[in-house]
Every structure is written in C-alpha cells, then in structure tokens.
Amino acid sequence: MTNTLHRRGTASNLKNDYILFCTLAKGMNSKGSGPKIQEFIRICLKYNPVNMGDGYLGNILQDDVGPQKFAADRKDGEGAAAVFTDLETLQKVIEELIQADLGISINVSGLLDEVQSCCRKVGIERHSVEHSLGIWGARDRLPERRILDVNTLCGHGMVSFNLIRKMVEYVKLRRLTPKKAANIMAKCCECGAFNPIRAEELLEKMAKG
C-alpha cells in the first residue's frame, strides 16, 4: 500500500504524474540494501525527476538536501521515491531498473491504464493493483476539492490547507509565480512524492478562479 494512491484530481490532470519508488521488507531483504537503494537513486536521477526523496533525509528540493546529498551513501532499508511527468521517461527508467535487477520491490503509482501500457512496452506485466477507496467519515469538514488536489500530492498531508490557500492568494496578487509557490510547498513534503509541476498547473488554475 502507498499513500500516493490518495492523489485526487481528474483523469486529464493526473496524466503527467507518476511516482516510482522502492521499498524494503524489514527482516526479509533490508539487510545489505543500502547499495541497491543508492543504485535505484542513481538510475532515477539520470532521467531528471521533478522531485525525489524519502522520509529519512527529505526531498531534493529542500535547501539542505539537494540531488548530490540525496545520492550519497544510503543506509539499509531507507527506500526512496522519484516523481516523473511523462510516460516516455518513466518507461526508460523502468527499463533500466529491469536491467539492473536490484532484487528489491519497485512500485509505480499513476493512472492504471497508462502504467499497464508502460509496463507492457518494456516486456513485463504488473503482478498486482492497489486502489484508494476514497475518503470516509465527515467529508463535509474537508476543504474544497481543488485544495485537496494539491494537498494529496503529499501522501502524508504535510502541505497544509492554509499554506495552499496562502500560496493561491500570493499567486493572485503576483507576489509569487506559480512555479515559486509550488516549490515552496514541495519543500514541506519529506518523502519527495510531491509533484511541483502538477502543483504549479493547479495553482495557476486556482488563481484564475
């Protein structure tokens, strides 16, 4: 299960949002996995992800992390996530990861039909599919849909509703560009699953009303 399944939006604005991540099973294959994780990171960085990170170190858009520090020696079991915005690049990354045969679990989060097509083009079949069942409970207490579209870009919910509203207001007032506002929000997401390109597009639309 991955919290990236909870991303909200429409089929059209979710088309350029793909998260690739590796996970380890504690006590099963985590011992000695540091170099494998480092190789996963090296391969992903080669294809210029728009974001990358993990819950241990943070993401590459944060001032005290960056790609070089993130790609340094990794401890066993830490994992990593990378965000890409087009299927062609995603396909190339998956193809190289297949050749690397790291022996760790690699997951892809995105629109099911697109991920299926991408996997088949590189000669593999997905072995399982996971869905989010949506939000249960007092949904009337949730903010408006567009705010949730941005908030759920961080599966841990670390980009607060009020910060998103503030960034929308700043973009409206031209105090920040959509890109700058999106990067500010991206720094809040420790795991690196936040897609700043999609956030930029969503901010532009919200700022226009």
Side-chain angles (χ1 to χ4, degrees), residues 5 10 17 39 57 103 111 115 142 158 169 177-178 188 199 208:
L5 296 180
T10 64
D17 189 23
E39 179 64 6
L57 189 62
L111 293 175
V115 172
L142 291 170
M158 296 185 73
E169 192 62 27
T177 63
C188 300
K208 292 176 181 177

Side-chain angles (χ1 to χ4, degrees), residues 128-173:
S128 59
V129 176
E130 292 180 337
H131 287 274
S132 168
L133 294 179
I135 299 172
W136 297 65
R139 288 183 292 178
D140 58 305
R141 300 181 65 181
L142 291 170
E144 54 271 34
R145 178 186 59 80
R146 286 189 172 183
I147 296 296
L148 282 176
D149 286 353
V150 178
N151 170 263
T152 54
L153 286 173
C154 175
H156 297 93
M158 296 185 73
V159 183
S160 75
F161 303 146
N162 285 336
L163 175 61
I164 297 167
R165 293 188 181 103
K166 184 176 181 179
M167 293 297 99
V168 172
E169 192 62 27
Y170 278 12
V171 171
K172 283 182 179 179
L173 296 172

Side-chain angles (χ1 to χ4, degrees), residues 35-51:
K36 297 177 181 180
I37 300 164
Q38 191 173 11
E39 179 64 6
F40 170 85
I41 293 170
R42 186 197 68 78
I43 291 171
C44 289
L45 285 174
K46 178 180 173 182
Y47 293 94
N48 301 311
V50 295
N51 200 3

Side-chain angles (χ1 to χ4, degrees), residues 22 34 74-75 83 104 147 182:
C22 65
R74 308 296 292 180
K75 295 180 181 178
V83 183
I104 56 179
I147 296 296

